[in-house]
Amino acid sequence: MRKKIVAGNWKMNNDLDQTILLIEELKKNQITKVNVMIAPSSLFLKTAKDLLEDSPIEVISQNVHQKSNGAYTGEVSCDMLKNIGISTTLIGHSERRAHFNENDFVLLEKVKFAIDSGMNIIFCFGEQLKDRKSNKHFDVVKSQLENTVLKLNSDFWKNIILAYEPVWAIGTGETASAEQAQEMHEFVRNCISKSYGDIVSDKVSILYGGSVKPSNAIEIFSKKDVDGGLIGGASLVASDFDEIVKANS
Ligand code: 13P
């Protein structure tokens, strides 16, 4: 059985007080069999971790650097994260690709280094609107995966969760239809299967991200290759996030 996951990516939102308030709200929600994760600002990861000490909600990082330590101003290392008990990180979010020039080469370094350091990763990928409009979405996704995670040997895959996030659906209110999500997730699982076989591909959780809301979550999560969601805006509202978590139960 694949892990069902709902992860909230808070991006650059919530100051300290808001972080504490939202976590206190989330703690009141009934946790289901779903693995629930939240990714607050790196500045507040330790606070979040302390507040959720007795909770099954996992605190994860939005990003990590690809070197162990050194003169990399402003960056956070795997060891720093592990030191405060964080063992999962997002890598390759489209906003990191677009605004911080993270390309496939750097992303592969990050993935390798993080997993070699004992971390789990949620690797994000997805096409832009122009790719979908020109019917190149499968080619673009295939190349994003072939240049990164599909280069790894199969041992790495027990630490990898994937998140398909079509860029045109992020923060736009426009969601991929459940059929579009399923079609891409199935395609991705087949790519993994071709490289590593069904035993590996069947175990990989593939999350969908892009304007998931309480109103569309049940339908998206009902698809057989959609194992959960990576939620942006709706994860900032405790009641919405709770509904989305329950939609995946
Ligand atoms: P939205 O849910 O706000 O569209 O963001 C999705 C996302 O980027 C999660 O990483």
Side-chain angles (χ1 to χ4, degrees):
M1 268 280 276
R2 287 193 290 273
K3 270 193 222 158
K4 287 183 166 200
I5 298 166
V6 175
N9 175 10
W10 292 6
K11 309 190 180 183
M12 198 172 72
N13 294 297
N14 289 339
D15 64 16
L16 178 60
D17 292 344
Q18 291 165 324
T19 296
I20 294 171
L21 200 67
L22 182 49
I23 288 174
E24 293 302 345
E25 287 292 309
L26 293 177
K27 277 167 75 171
K28 291 183 202 151
N29 293 340
Q30 277 214 318
I31 297 298
T32 55
K33 283 184 215 135
V34 181
N35 292 263
V36 179
M37 305 175 177
I38 56 163
S41 155
S42 59
L43 194 58
F44 306 130
L45 285 173
K46 174 76 170 83
T47 307
K49 191 73 196 151
D50 290 346
L51 288 168
L52 289 166
E53 205 185 348
D54 302 317
S55 162
I57 299 176
E58 182 180 355
V59 180
I60 69 172
S61 177
Q62 296 178 17
N63 184 33
V64 74
H65 196 259
Q66 64 273 28
K67 293 283 194 298
S68 60
N69 65 292
Y72 301 101
T73 302
E75 293 292 327
V76 171
S77 74
C78 288
D79 279 352
M80 291 170 184
L81 293 174
K82 286 192 299 171
N83 187 237
I84 59 162
I86 308 289
S87 55
T88 304
T89 182
L90 301 182
I91 289 180
H93 193 281
S94 62
E95 288 147 19
R96 300 288 321 166
R97 296 174 192 252
H99 306 310
F100 304 94
N101 299 323
E102 292 190 357
N103 58 25
D104 290 344
F105 180 78
V106 169
L107 296 177
L108 178 58
E109 279 192 328
K110 286 193 180 211
V111 169
K112 272 193 192 152
F113 192 81
I115 295 177
D116 278 339
S117 303
M119 298 200 62
N120 301 309
I121 64 146
I122 301 181
F123 185 77
C124 310
F125 58 93
E127 81 282 0
Q128 303 195 21
L129 185 59
K130 65 175 170 40
D131 306 321
R132 182 150 289 258
K133 284 200 161 149
S134 55
N135 214 24
K136 295 209 175 85
H137 44 296
F138 291 114
D139 292 342
V140 168
V141 162
K142 189 165 180 232
S143 117
Q144 286 175 336
L145 298 176
E146 280 179 348
N147 291 337
T148 55
V149 285
L150 291 177
K151 283 190 185 292
L152 302 167
N153 75 42
S154 60
D155 290 349
F156 280 81
W157 280 86
K158 59 184 182 313
N159 302 96
I160 298 177
I161 297 160
L162 295 178
Y164 168 56
E165 298 205 306
V167 178
W168 49 271
I170 295 180
T172 57
E174 192 170 336
T175 324
S177 67
E179 288 70 31
Q180 286 172 320
Q182 167 57 27
E183 184 182 48
M184 184 58 86
H185 285 220
E186 189 174 0
F187 172 77
V188 168
R189 204 175 298 286
N190 283 337
C191 291
I192 303 167
S193 172
K194 274 184 203 141
S195 298
Y196 305 98
D198 288 350
I199 294 179
V200 173
S201 71
D202 281 347
K203 285 202 181 121
V204 179
S205 295
I206 309 178
L207 316 184
Y208 168 79
S211 297
V212 177
K213 300 182 274 286
S215 56
N216 59 23
I218 290 183
E219 202 191 342
I220 295 173
F221 295 159
S222 71
K223 295 294 176 190
K224 81 173 172 42
D225 287 293
V226 179
D227 305 304
L230 182 54
I231 321 299
S235 72
L236 300 171
V237 180
S239 55
D240 285 357
F241 190 60
D242 186 40
E243 273 194 63
I244 294 170
V245 169
K246 291 195 173 118
N248 201 22
S249 302

